[in-house]
Amino acid sequence: MLPKLYRVYKILLREFGHQGWWPVSGGFNPPEWEICLGAILTQATAWRNVEQALENLKKAGITDPTDILCTSQQKLGQIIRPAGYYQQKAKRLRYFAKFVQDFGSFDAFKKCVDRDMLLAIHGIGKETADSILLYACKRPIFVIDAYTIRLAARLGISEKRYDGLQYIFQSQLPKDVDIYKECHALIVEHGKKFCRKKPQCELCPLKSKECTYTTKP
DNA sequence: CCCCAGGCCGCGC
DNA sequence: GCGCGGCATGGG
């Protein structure tokens, strides 16, 4: 018998197919840099708003860490305004750009950065750090987000702490970057379609196979 | 009108 | 260590 969360992953993969996350529009250099920007911009924000902010950055010619550091926080804020919390996020982008610049190169950053270093940057918490590590740096680190916490609770997993849930997912899934990426993306898709705050359990592919949750909070 | 979105920080307890 | 308010735009 495969672990429960691995079985859930397989069901979601069959249901929704390959997700191809993280979405990258191109135009930044390198593409992993755009992933890092998106990870910060999407904090508590719908992805369509992030796309607009990334598009504005591109049009303004702000495509690498140096460009960000050459742009004032106020101007940067106006450019990324569609992403919401734009003053905060402009600061966070600048803190992050400074950190990468101090590394010498983005390649060196990708190779050498670790979770604690990212968490020490103001404005980067666990989910943002892990998203950068998994999707930009290609490390086998599972990303926990609000959808994941909600799904886990409804699957009957009582652990609610970020690090505790991350350990459970990493224990039950094969340690593989592509599977971690895919699984996180599938959980988000499932969370948007079925496992919402107000769940749509009737059509959920996990119903009665892996999930006995029906209407309880 | 309401609620929500791929969080994080600073504060009080 | 946990709960809460602040931060903000754009869509349903």
Side-chain angles (χ1 to χ4, degrees):
Chain A
M1 194 69 158
L2 296 172
K4 181 179 188 72
L5 293 174
Y6 194 28
R7 298 198 305 269
V8 165
Y9 159 74
K10 283 175 169 291
I11 291 171
L12 295 180
L13 181 57
R14 191 156 45 238
E15 172 76 14
F16 297 115
H18 177 65
Q19 298 297 299
W21 261 27
W22 189 285
V24 175
S25 66
F28 291 85
N29 96 77
E32 290 83 2
W33 171 247
E34 182 181 351
I35 293 174
C36 298
L37 300 183
I40 292 170
L41 292 172
T42 199
Q43 290 167 357
T45 299
W47 185 256
R48 56 179 174 272
N49 294 30
V50 177
E51 283 181 317
Q52 188 54 244
L54 289 170
E55 197 56 37
N56 289 352
L57 283 171
K58 227 184 297 182
K59 279 190 289 189
I62 301 173
T63 59
D64 65 26
T66 307
D67 295 335
I68 286 181
L69 291 170
C70 289
T71 309
S72 72
Q73 184 199 301
Q74 277 72 20
K75 187 173 176 194
L76 196 56
Q78 289 311 311
I79 291 168
I80 64 166
R81 184 171 174 155
Y85 308 122
Y86 54 90
Q87 293 166 351
Q88 263 189 9
K89 286 177 180 175
K91 275 188 208 167
R92 293 176 182 182
L93 290 182
R94 288 178 54 85
Y95 290 137
F96 180 67
K98 178 70 166 60
F99 180 83
V100 171
Q101 191 182 65
D102 288 346
F103 243 95
S105 72
F106 188 67
D107 278 341
F109 164 83
K110 279 193 295 184
K111 199 176 304 177
C112 304
V113 74
D114 66 34
R115 194 174 193 249
D116 287 335
M117 295 164 70
L118 288 171
L119 290 177
I121 303 170
H122 186 94
I124 298 198
K126 290 175 180 177
E127 184 187 337
T128 307
D130 290 340
S131 296
I132 290 170
L133 290 169
L134 177 63
Y135 290 99
C137 304
K138 301 169 172 50
R139 314 284 179 79
I141 309 280
F142 194 81
V143 176
I144 304 295
D145 60 13
Y147 291 117
T148 311
I149 295 169
R150 187 160 66 211
L151 173 64
R154 289 175 177 171
L155 288 173
I157 296 171
S158 60
E159 178 63 69
K160 285 179 171 33
R161 295 167 305 175
Y162 188 105
D163 291 346
L165 269 180
Q166 182 178 54
Y167 178 78
I168 293 171
F169 275 84
Q170 292 187 357
S171 302
Q172 296 196 24
L173 296 171
K175 185 174 178 177
D176 180 281
V177 169
D178 290 322
I179 290 177
Y180 285 4
K181 285 184 182 177
E182 191 66 67
C183 187
H184 173 229
L186 288 165
I187 288 172
V188 173
E189 187 60 21
H190 173 251
K192 287 177 176 172
K193 282 227 173 71
F194 301 109
C195 210
R196 310 176 186 168
K197 287 193 178 176
K198 275 196 64 151
Q200 315 283 312
C201 297
E202 299 72 24
L203 298 173
C204 176
L206 302 177
K207 181 177 174 60
S208 72
K209 297 180 182 176
E210 297 295 346
C211 191
T212 55
Y213 177 88
T214 50
T215 52
K216 296 287 182 297

